[in-house]
Amino acid sequence: MTDTQLLQEFEALAERLAIPVTYANLESDGGLCVVKGERRFILNRGPEVRTHVEIFARDFATLPLDDVYIRPVVRERIDAVRSARE
């Protein structure tokens, strides 16, 4: 699966979890945050697709996703981040 396809899968996962995704001109790479009590991804539109994929994987790894269906290749990416933290 290409990085572009992975990014689309992560964006779709965010949508299924009702987490809005916004791309904006930021000074940092961005990531998952809480704005007015609502979780949302705010990402810098500047970095490469691969960077966006890494940010999604990193931040989804912090969420409880055991009861959510996630395509195996996407779950593997998230689980790899979780394993690296342990």
Side-chain angles (χ1 to χ4, degrees):
M1 183 172 281
T2 68
D3 287 338
T4 300
Q5 290 169 319
L6 275 171
L7 179 59
Q8 291 170 344
E9 290 292 330
F10 277 118
E11 290 171 339
L13 175 58
E15 184 177 327
R16 285 197 339 260
L17 296 174
I19 304 173
V21 177
T22 303
Y23 290 90
N25 294 322
L26 304 173
E27 292 185 19
S28 69
D29 289 337
L32 183 64
C33 61
V34 177
V35 177
K36 296 183 181 179
E38 178 184 68
R39 289 184 304 188
R40 59 184 315 120
F41 279 99
I42 302 176
L43 302 170
N44 187 355
R45 67 176 83 213
E48 296 180 2
V49 171
R50 175 166 286 183
T51 301
H52 290 145
V53 168
E54 291 169 1
I55 292 167
F56 274 117
R58 176 197 72 201
D59 292 350
F60 274 122
T62 67
L63 301 177
L65 300 173
D66 291 338
D67 295 336
V68 178
Y69 173 77
I70 301 173
R71 288 188 62 179
V73 67
V74 175
R75 187 170 293 278
E76 287 171 12
R77 186 65 75 103
I78 293 168
D79 289 344
V81 171
R82 282 188 181 135
S83 295
R85 289 183 179 173
E86 296 176 353

Coordinates of all heavy atoms in Angstrom, one line a residue:
M1 N 0.9 -1.2 0.0 CA 0.0 0.0 0.0 C 0.9 1.2 0.0 O 1.9 1.3 0.8 CB -0.9 0.0 1.2 CG -1.9 1.1 1.3 SD -3.1 1.0 2.6 CE -4.3 -0.2 1.9
T2 N 0.6 2.2 -0.8 CA 1.4 3.4 -0.9 C 1.1 4.3 0.3 O 0.1 4.2 0.9 CB 1.1 4.2 -2.2 OG1 -0.2 4.7 -2.2 CG2 1.3 3.3 -3.5
D3 N 2.0 5.3 0.5 CA 1.8 6.3 1.5 C 0.5 7.0 1.3 O -0.2 7.4 2.2 CB 3.0 7.2 1.7 CG 4.2 6.5 2.3 OD1 4.0 5.5 3.0 OD2 5.3 7.1 2.1
T4 N 0.2 7.4 0.1 CA -1.0 8.1 -0.2 C -2.2 7.3 0.1 O -3.2 7.8 0.7 CB -1.1 8.5 -1.7 OG1 0.1 9.3 -2.0 CG2 -2.3 9.3 -2.1
Q5 N -2.2 6.0 -0.2 CA -3.3 5.1 0.2 C -3.5 5.0 1.7 O -4.6 5.0 2.2 CB -3.2 3.7 -0.5 CG -3.3 3.8 -2.0 CD -2.9 2.5 -2.6 OE1 -1.9 1.9 -2.2 NE2 -3.7 2.0 -3.6
L6 N -2.3 4.9 2.4 CA -2.4 4.8 3.9 C -2.9 6.1 4.4 O -3.7 6.1 5.4 CB -0.9 4.6 4.4 CG -0.5 3.2 4.5 CD1 1.0 3.2 4.8 CD2 -1.3 2.4 5.5
L7 N -2.5 7.2 3.9 CA -3.1 8.5 4.4 C -4.6 8.5 4.2 O -5.3 9.0 5.1 CB -2.4 9.7 3.6 CG -2.9 11.1 4.0 CD1 -2.7 11.4 5.5 CD2 -2.3 12.1 3.1
Q8 N -5.1 8.1 3.1 CA -6.5 8.0 2.8 C -7.2 7.1 3.8 O -8.3 7.4 4.3 CB -6.8 7.6 1.4 CG -6.4 8.6 0.4 CD -6.5 8.1 -1.1 OE1 -6.5 6.9 -1.3 NE2 -6.5 9.0 -2.0
E9 N -6.6 6.0 4.2 CA -7.1 5.1 5.2 C -7.2 5.7 6.5 O -8.2 5.6 7.3 CB -6.3 3.8 5.2 CG -6.5 2.9 4.0 CD -7.9 2.3 3.9 OE1 -8.5 2.1 4.9 OE2 -8.3 2.1 2.7
F10 N -6.1 6.4 6.9 CA -6.1 7.1 8.2 C -7.2 8.2 8.2 O -7.9 8.4 9.2 CB -4.7 7.7 8.5 CG -3.8 6.7 9.1 CD1 -2.6 6.3 8.5 CD2 -4.1 6.1 10.3 CE1 -1.8 5.4 9.0 CE2 -3.2 5.2 10.9 CZ -2.0 4.9 10.2
E11 N -7.3 9.0 7.2 CA -8.4 10.0 7.1 C -9.7 9.4 7.2 O -10.6 10.0 7.9 CB -8.2 10.8 5.8 CG -7.0 11.7 5.8 CD -6.8 12.4 4.4 OE1 -7.3 11.9 3.4 OE2 -6.0 13.4 4.4
A12 N -10.0 8.3 6.6 CA -11.3 7.6 6.6 C -11.5 7.1 8.1 O -12.6 7.2 8.6 CB -11.3 6.4 5.6
L13 N -10.5 6.6 8.7 CA -10.6 6.1 10.1 C -11.0 7.3 11.0 O -11.9 7.2 11.8 CB -9.3 5.5 10.6 CG -9.3 5.1 12.1 CD1 -10.4 4.1 12.4 CD2 -7.9 4.5 12.4
A14 N -10.3 8.4 10.8 CA -10.7 9.6 11.6 C -12.1 10.0 11.4 O -12.9 10.3 12.3 CB -9.8 10.8 11.2
E15 N -12.6 9.9 10.2 CA -14.0 10.3 9.8 C -14.9 9.3 10.5 O -15.9 9.7 11.1 CB -14.2 10.3 8.3 CG -15.6 10.7 7.9 CD -15.8 10.7 6.4 OE1 -14.8 11.0 5.7 OE2 -16.9 10.4 6.0
R16 N -14.6 8.0 10.5 CA -15.5 7.0 11.1 C -15.6 7.2 12.7 O -16.6 6.9 13.3 CB -15.0 5.6 10.9 CG -15.3 5.1 9.5 CD -15.2 3.6 9.2 NE -14.4 2.9 10.1 CZ -13.2 2.5 9.9 NH1 -12.5 2.8 8.8 NH2 -12.5 1.7 10.8
L17 N -14.5 7.8 13.2 CA -14.4 8.0 14.7 C -14.9 9.4 15.0 O -14.8 9.9 16.1 CB -13.0 7.8 15.2 CG -12.5 6.4 15.1 CD1 -11.0 6.3 15.5 CD2 -13.3 5.5 16.0
A18 N -15.4 10.1 14.0 CA -15.9 11.5 14.2 C -14.9 12.5 14.7 O -15.1 13.3 15.5 CB -17.2 11.5 15.0
I19 N -13.7 12.3 14.1 CA -12.6 13.2 14.5 C -12.3 14.0 13.2 O -11.7 13.4 12.2 CB -11.3 12.4 14.9 CG1 -11.6 11.5 16.1 CG2 -10.2 13.4 15.3 CD1 -10.5 10.6 16.6
P20 N -12.6 15.3 13.2 CA -12.4 16.1 12.0 C -10.9 16.2 11.7 O -10.1 16.2 12.6 CB -13.0 17.4 12.3 CG -13.9 17.2 13.4 CD -13.4 16.0 14.2
V21 N -10.5 16.3 10.4 CA -9.2 16.4 10.0 C -9.1 17.8 9.2 O -9.9 18.0 8.3 CB -8.7 15.3 9.1 CG1 -7.3 15.5 8.5 CG2 -8.8 14.0 9.8
T22 N -8.2 18.6 9.6 CA -8.0 19.9 9.0 C -6.5 20.0 8.6 O -5.6 19.7 9.4 CB -8.3 21.0 9.9 OG1 -9.7 20.9 10.4 CG2 -8.2 22.4 9.3
Y23 N -6.2 20.5 7.4 CA -4.9 20.8 7.0 C -4.8 22.4 6.9 O -5.6 23.0 6.4 CB -4.6 20.2 5.6 CG -4.5 18.7 5.6 CD1 -5.6 18.0 5.4 CD2 -3.3 18.1 5.9 CE1 -5.6 16.6 5.5 CE2 -3.2 16.7 5.9 CZ -4.4 16.0 5.7 OH -4.3 14.6 5.8
A24 N -3.7 22.9 7.6 CA -3.5 24.3 7.7 C -2.0 24.6 7.6 O -1.2 23.7 7.7 CB -4.1 24.8 9.0
N25 N -1.7 25.9 7.4 CA -0.3 26.3 7.4 C 0.1 26.5 8.9 O -0.4 27.4 9.5 CB -0.1 27.6 6.7 CG -0.4 27.4 5.2 OD1 0.0 26.4 4.6 ND2 -1.0 28.4 4.6
L26 N 0.9 25.6 9.4 CA 1.3 25.6 10.8 C 2.9 25.7 10.9 O 3.6 25.4 9.9 CB 0.9 24.3 11.5 CG -0.6 23.9 11.5 CD1 -0.7 22.5 12.1 CD2 -1.4 24.9 12.2
E27 N 3.3 26.1 12.0 CA 4.8 26.1 12.2 C 5.3 24.8 12.7 O 6.5 24.6 12.7 CB 5.1 27.2 13.3 CG 4.8 28.6 12.7 CD 5.3 29.7 13.7 OE1 6.1 29.4 14.6 OE2 4.8 30.8 13.5
S28 N 4.4 23.9 13.1 CA 4.9 22.5 13.5 C 4.1 21.5 12.6 O 3.3 21.9 11.7 CB 4.5 22.2 14.9 OG 3.1 22.2 15.1
D29 N 4.4 20.3 12.8 CA 3.7 19.2 11.9 C 2.3 19.1 12.3 O 1.5 18.6 11.5 CB 4.5 17.9 12.0 CG 5.8 17.9 11.3 OD1 6.0 18.7 10.4 OD2 6.7 17.1 11.7
G30 N 1.9 19.4 13.6 CA 0.5 19.2 14.0 C 0.3 17.9 14.6 O 1.2 17.1 14.9
G31 N -1.0 17.5 14.7 CA -1.4 16.2 15.2 C -2.7 16.3 15.9 O -3.5 17.2 15.6
L32 N -3.0 15.3 16.7 CA -4.3 15.2 17.4 C -4.3 16.2 18.5 O -3.4 16.3 19.3 CB -4.5 13.8 17.9 CG -5.8 13.5 18.6 CD1 -7.0 13.6 17.7 CD2 -5.8 12.1 19.2
C33 N -5.4 16.9 18.6 CA -5.5 17.9 19.7 C -7.0 18.0 20.1 O -7.9 17.4 19.5 CB -5.0 19.3 19.3 SG -5.9 20.0 17.9
V34 N -7.3 18.8 21.1 CA -8.7 19.0 21.6 C -8.9 20.5 21.5 O -8.2 21.3 22.0 CB -8.8 18.5 23.1 CG1 -10.3 18.8 23.5 CG2 -8.5 17.0 23.2
V35 N -10.0 20.8 20.7 CA -10.4 22.2 20.6 C -11.8 22.3 21.0 O -12.7 21.6 20.5 CB -10.3 22.6 19.1 CG1 -10.8 24.0 18.9 CG2 -8.9 22.5 18.5
K36 N -12.0 23.1 22.1 CA -13.4 23.3 22.7 C -14.0 22.0 23.0 O -15.2 21.7 22.7 CB -14.2 24.1 21.7 CG -13.7 25.5 21.5 CD -14.7 26.3 20.7 CE -14.1 27.8 20.5 NZ -15.0 28.6 19.7
G37 N -13.2 21.1 23.6 CA -13.7 19.8 24.0 C -13.9 18.7 22.9 O -14.3 17.6 23.2
E38 N -13.5 19.1 21.7 CA -13.7 18.1 20.6 C -12.3 17.7 20.1 O -11.4 18.6 19.8 CB -14.4 18.8 19.5 CG -14.6 17.9 18.2 CD -15.3 18.7 17.1 OE1 -14.7 19.6 16.5 OE2 -16.4 18.3 16.8
R39 N -12.1 16.4 19.9 CA -10.8 15.9 19.4 C -10.8 16.2 17.9 O -11.8 16.1 17.2 CB -10.7 14.4 19.5 CG -10.4 14.0 20.9 CD -10.2 12.5 21.0 NE -11.4 11.8 20.4 CZ -11.6 10.5 20.5 NH1 -10.7 9.7 21.1 NH2 -12.6 9.9 20.0
R40 N -9.7 16.6 17.4 CA -9.5 16.9 15.9 C -8.0 16.7 15.6 O -7.2 17.0 16.4 CB -10.1 18.2 15.5 CG -9.6 19.4 16.1 CD -10.3 20.7 15.7 NE -10.6 20.8 14.3 CZ -11.8 20.9 13.8 NH1 -12.9 20.9 14.5 NH2 -11.9 20.9 12.5
F41 N -7.8 16.4 14.3 CA -6.5 16.4 13.8 C -6.3 17.7 13.0 O -7.1 18.0 12.2 CB -6.3 15.2 12.8 CG -6.0 13.9 13.4 CD1 -7.0 13.0 13.6 CD2 -4.7 13.6 13.8 CE1 -6.7 11.8 14.2 CE2 -4.4 12.4 14.4 CZ -5.5 11.4 14.6
I42 N -5.2 18.4 13.4 CA -4.9 19.6 12.7 C -3.4 19.4 12.2 O -2.5 19.2 13.0 CB -5.0 20.9 13.5 CG1 -6.4 21.0 14.1 CG2 -4.5 22.1 12.7 CD1 -6.6 22.2 15.0
L43 N -3.3 19.3 10.9 CA -2.0 18.9 10.3 C -1.4 20.0 9.4 O -2.2 20.7 8.7 CB -2.1 17.6 9.5 CG -2.6 16.4 10.3 CD1 -2.9 15.3 9.3 CD2 -1.6 16.0 11.3
N44 N -0.1 20.2 9.5 CA 0.5 21.1 8.6 C 0.4 20.6 7.1 O 0.8 19.5 6.9 CB 2.0 21.3 9.0 CG 2.7 22.4 8.2 OD1 2.1 23.0 7.3 ND2 3.9 22.7 8.6
R45 N -0.1 21.4 6.3 CA -0.2 21.0 4.9 C 1.1 20.9 4.1 O 1.2 20.4 3.1 CB -1.2 21.8 4.1 CG -0.8 23.3 3.9 CD -1.8 24.0 3.0 NE -2.9 24.5 3.9 CZ -4.1 24.6 3.5 NH1 -4.5 24.4 2.3 NH2 -5.1 25.1 4.3
G46 N 2.2 21.4 4.8 CA 3.5 21.4 4.1 C 4.3 20.1 4.0 O 4.8 19.8 3.0
P47 N 4.3 19.3 5.1 CA 5.1 18.0 5.0 C 4.7 17.0 3.9 O 3.6 17.1 3.4 CB 5.0 17.4 6.4 CG 4.5 18.5 7.3 CD 3.7 19.4 6.4
E48 N 5.6 16.1 3.7 CA 5.3 15.0 2.8 C 4.2 14.1 3.3 O 3.9 14.1 4.5 CB 6.5 14.2 2.5 CG 7.6 14.9 1.9 CD 8.9 14.0 1.7 OE1 8.8 12.8 2.0 OE2 9.9 14.5 1.2
V49 N 3.6 13.4 2.4 CA 2.5 12.4 2.8 C 3.0 11.5 3.9 O 2.3 11.2 4.8 CB 2.0 11.7 1.5 CG1 1.1 10.5 1.9 CG2 1.3 12.6 0.6
R50 N 4.2 11.0 3.7 CA 4.8 10.0 4.7 C 4.7 10.6 6.1 O 4.4 9.9 7.1 CB 6.2 9.6 4.3 CG 6.8 8.7 5.4 CD 8.0 8.1 4.8 NE 7.6 7.1 3.9 CZ 8.4 6.3 3.3 NH1 9.6 6.3 3.4 NH2 7.9 5.4 2.5
T51 N 5.0 11.9 6.3 CA 5.0 12.5 7.6 C 3.6 12.5 8.1 O 3.4 12.3 9.3 CB 5.5 14.0 7.5 OG1 6.9 13.9 7.0 CG2 5.5 14.7 8.8
H52 N 2.6 12.8 7.3 CA 1.2 12.8 7.7 C 0.8 11.4 8.2 O 0.2 11.2 9.2 CB 0.3 13.3 6.6 CG 0.4 14.7 6.3 ND1 0.2 15.2 5.0 CD2 0.6 15.8 7.1 CE1 0.4 16.5 5.1 NE2 0.6 16.9 6.3
V53 N 1.3 10.4 7.5 CA 1.0 9.0 7.9 C 1.6 8.7 9.2 O 0.9 8.1 10.1 CB 1.5 8.0 6.8 CG1 1.5 6.6 7.3 CG2 0.7 8.1 5.5
E54 N 2.8 9.1 9.4 CA 3.5 8.9 10.7 C 2.8 9.6 11.9 O 2.7 9.1 13.0 CB 5.0 9.4 10.6 CG 5.8 8.5 9.7 CD 7.2 9.1 9.4 OE1 7.5 10.2 9.9 OE2 7.9 8.4 8.7
I55 N 2.3 10.8 11.6 CA 1.6 11.6 12.6 C 0.3 10.8 13.0 O -0.1 10.7 14.2 CB 1.3 13.0 12.2 CG1 2.6 13.8 12.1 CG2 0.3 13.7 13.1 CD1 2.5 15.1 11.4
F56 N -0.5 10.4 12.0 CA -1.7 9.7 12.2 C -1.4 8.4 13.0 O -2.1 8.1 14.0 CB -2.4 9.3 10.9 CG -3.3 10.4 10.4 CD1 -3.1 11.0 9.2 CD2 -4.5 10.8 11.1 CE1 -3.9 11.9 8.6 CE2 -5.3 11.7 10.6 CZ -5.1 12.3 9.3
A57 N -0.4 7.6 12.6 CA -0.1 6.4 13.3 C 0.3 6.7 14.8 O -0.2 6.0 15.7 CB 1.0 5.7 12.6
R58 N 1.1 7.7 15.0 CA 1.5 8.1 16.3 C 0.4 8.4 17.2 O 0.2 8.0 18.4 CB 2.5 9.2 16.2 CG 3.0 9.8 17.6 CD 3.6 11.2 17.4 NE 2.5 12.1 17.1 CZ 2.8 13.3 16.6 NH1 4.0 13.7 16.2 NH2 1.8 14.2 16.4
D59 N -0.5 9.3 16.7 CA -1.6 9.8 17.5 C -2.8 8.8 17.7 O -3.4 8.7 18.7 CB -2.1 11.1 17.0 CG -1.1 12.2 17.1 OD1 -0.1 12.0 17.8 OD2 -1.2 13.3 16.6
F60 N -3.0 8.0 16.7 CA -4.0 6.9 16.8 C -3.6 5.9 17.8 O -4.4 5.2 18.5 CB -4.4 6.2 15.5 CG -5.5 6.9 14.7 CD1 -5.2 7.4 13.4 CD2 -6.7 7.1 15.2 CE1 -6.2 8.0 12.7 CE2 -7.7 7.8 14.5 CZ -7.5 8.2 13.2
A61 N -2.3 5.7 18.0 CA -1.7 4.7 18.9 C -2.0 5.1 20.4 O -2.0 4.3 21.3 CB -0.2 4.6 18.8
T62 N -2.4 6.4 20.6 CA -2.8 6.8 21.9 C -4.3 6.6 22.3 O -4.7 6.8 23.4 CB -2.5 8.3 22.1 OG1 -3.3 9.1 21.3 CG2 -1.0 8.6 21.8
L63 N -5.0 6.2 21.3 CA -6.5 6.0 21.4 C -6.9 4.6 21.7 O -6.2 3.7 21.1 CB -7.2 6.6 20.2 CG -7.0 8.1 19.9 CD1 -7.8 8.4 18.6 CD2 -7.4 8.9 21.0
P64 N -8.0 4.3 22.4 CA -8.5 2.9 22.5 C -9.2 2.5 21.3 O -10.3 3.0 21.0 CB -9.4 3.0 23.7 CG -9.9 4.5 23.7 CD -8.8 5.3 23.2
L65 N -8.6 1.6 20.5 CA -9.2 1.2 19.2 C -9.5 -0.2 19.1 O -9.7 -0.8 18.0 CB -8.2 1.6 18.1 CG -7.8 3.1 18.0 CD1 -6.7 3.3 16.9 CD2 -9.1 3.9 17.6
D66 N -9.5 -1.0 20.2 CA -9.7 -2.4 20.2 C -11.0 -2.8 19.6 O -11.1 -3.8 19.0 CB -9.5 -3.0 21.6 CG -8.1 -2.9 22.1 OD1 -7.2 -2.8 21.3 OD2 -7.9 -3.0 23.3
D67 N -12.0 -2.0 19.8 CA -13.4 -2.3 19.3 C -13.7 -1.7 18.0 O -14.8 -1.8 17.5 CB -14.4 -1.9 20.3 CG -14.3 -2.6 21.7 OD1 -13.8 -3.8 21.7 OD2 -14.7 -2.1 22.7
V68 N -12.7 -1.2 17.3 CA -12.9 -0.5 16.0 C -12.3 -1.4 14.9 O -11.1 -1.8 15.1 CB -12.2 0.9 16.0 CG1 -12.4 1.6 14.7 CG2 -12.8 1.8 17.1
Y69 N -13.0 -1.6 13.8 CA -12.4 -2.3 12.7 C -11.5 -1.4 12.0 O -11.9 -0.3 11.6 CB -13.5 -2.9 11.7 CG -12.8 -3.5 10.5 CD1 -12.2 -4.7 10.6 CD2 -12.7 -2.7 9.4 CE1 -11.5 -5.2 9.5 CE2 -12.0 -3.3 8.3 CZ -11.4 -4.5 8.4 OH -10.7 -5.0 7.3
I70 N -10.3 -1.8 11.8 CA -9.3 -1.1 11.1 C -8.6 -2.1 10.1 O -8.2 -3.2 10.5 CB -8.2 -0.5 12.1 CG1 -8.9 0.4 13.1 CG2 -7.2 0.3 11.3 CD1 -8.0 0.9 14.2
R71 N -8.4 -1.6 8.9 CA -7.8 -2.5 7.9 C -6.4 -3.0 8.5 O -5.7 -2.2 9.1 CB -7.6 -1.8 6.6 CG -8.9 -1.6 5.9 CD -8.7 -1.1 4.5 NE -7.9 -2.0 3.7 CZ -7.6 -1.8 2.4 NH1 -8.0 -0.7 1.8 NH2 -6.9 -2.7 1.7
P72 N -6.1 -4.3 8.3 CA -4.9 -4.8 8.9 C -3.6 -4.0 8.6 O -2.8 -3.8 9.6 CB -4.8 -6.2 8.3 CG -6.2 -6.6 8.0 CD -6.9 -5.3 7.5
V73 N -3.4 -3.5 7.5 CA -2.2 -2.8 7.2 C -2.1 -1.5 8.0 O -1.0 -1.1 8.5 CB -2.0 -2.5 5.7 CG1 -3.1 -1.5 5.2 CG2 -0.6 -2.0 5.4
V74 N -3.2 -0.9 8.3 CA -3.3 0.3 9.1 C -3.1 0.0 10.5 O -2.3 0.6 11.3 CB -4.6 1.1 8.8 CG1 -4.8 2.3 9.7 CG2 -4.8 1.5 7.4
R75 N -3.8 -1.1 11.0 CA -3.6 -1.5 12.4 C -2.2 -1.9 12.7 O -1.6 -1.6 13.7 CB -4.5 -2.6 12.7 CG -4.5 -3.0 14.2 CD -5.5 -3.9 14.7 NE -6.9 -3.4 14.6 CZ -7.5 -2.6 15.6 NH1 -6.8 -2.2 16.6 NH2 -8.7 -2.3 15.4
E76 N -1.5 -2.5 11.7 CA -0.1 -2.9 11.9 C 0.8 -1.7 12.1 O 1.7 -1.7 12.9 CB 0.4 -3.7 10.7 CG -0.1 -5.1 10.6 CD 0.2 -5.8 9.3 OE1 1.0 -5.3 8.5 OE2 -0.4 -6.8 9.0
R77 N 0.5 -0.6 11.3 CA 1.2 0.6 11.4 C 1.0 1.2 12.8 O 2.0 1.7 13.5 CB 0.8 1.6 10.3 CG 1.6 2.9 10.2 CD 3.1 2.6 9.8 NE 3.2 2.3 8.4 CZ 3.7 3.1 7.5 NH1 4.0 4.4 7.8 NH2 3.8 2.7 6.3
I78 N -0.2 1.3 13.3 CA -0.5 1.8 14.6 C 0.1 1.0 15.7 O 0.8 1.5 16.6 CB -2.0 1.9 14.8 CG1 -2.6 2.9 13.9 CG2 -2.4 2.2 16.3 CD1 -4.2 2.9 13.8
D79 N 0.0 -0.4 15.6 CA 0.6 -1.3 16.6 C 2.1 -1.2 16.6 O 2.7 -1.3 17.7 CB 0.2 -2.7 16.3 CG -1.3 -3.0 16.6 OD1 -1.9 -2.1 17.3 OD2 -1.9 -4.0 16.2
A80 N 2.7 -0.9 15.5 CA 4.2 -0.8 15.5 C 4.6 0.4 16.3 O 5.6 0.4 17.0 CB 4.7 -0.6 14.0
V81 N 3.8 1.5 16.2 CA 4.1 2.7 17.0 C 4.0 2.4 18.5 O 4.8 2.7 19.4 CB 3.2 3.9 16.6 CG1 3.4 5.0 17.6 CG2 3.6 4.3 15.2
R82 N 2.9 1.7 18.8 CA 2.6 1.3 20.2 C 3.8 0.4 20.8 O 4.3 0.6 21.9 CB 1.3 0.5 20.4 CG 0.1 1.4 20.4 CD -1.1 0.6 20.7 NE -2.3 1.5 20.7 CZ -3.4 1.2 20.1 NH1 -3.6 0.0 19.5 NH2 -4.4 2.0 20.1
S83 N 4.2 -0.5 20.0 CA 5.3 -1.5 20.4 C 6.6 -0.7 20.6 O 7.4 -1.0 21.5 CB 5.5 -2.5 19.4 OG 4.4 -3.4 19.3
A84 N 6.9 0.3 19.8 CA 8.1 1.1 19.9 C 8.1 1.9 21.2 O 9.2 2.2 21.7 CB 8.2 2.0 18.7
R85 N 7.0 2.2 21.7 CA 6.9 3.0 22.9 C 7.1 2.2 24.2 O 7.4 2.7 25.2 CB 5.5 3.7 23.0 CG 5.3 4.8 22.1 CD 4.0 5.4 22.2 NE 3.8 6.5 21.3 CZ 2.7 7.2 21.1 NH1 1.6 6.9 21.8 NH2 2.7 8.1 20.2
E86 N 6.9 0.9 24.1 CA 7.0 0.0 25.2 C 8.4 -0.3 25.6 O 9.3 -0.3 24.9 CB 6.2 -1.3 25.0 CG 4.7 -1.0 24.9 CD 3.9 -2.2 24.5 OE1 4.5 -3.3 24.3 OE2 2.7 -2.1 24.6

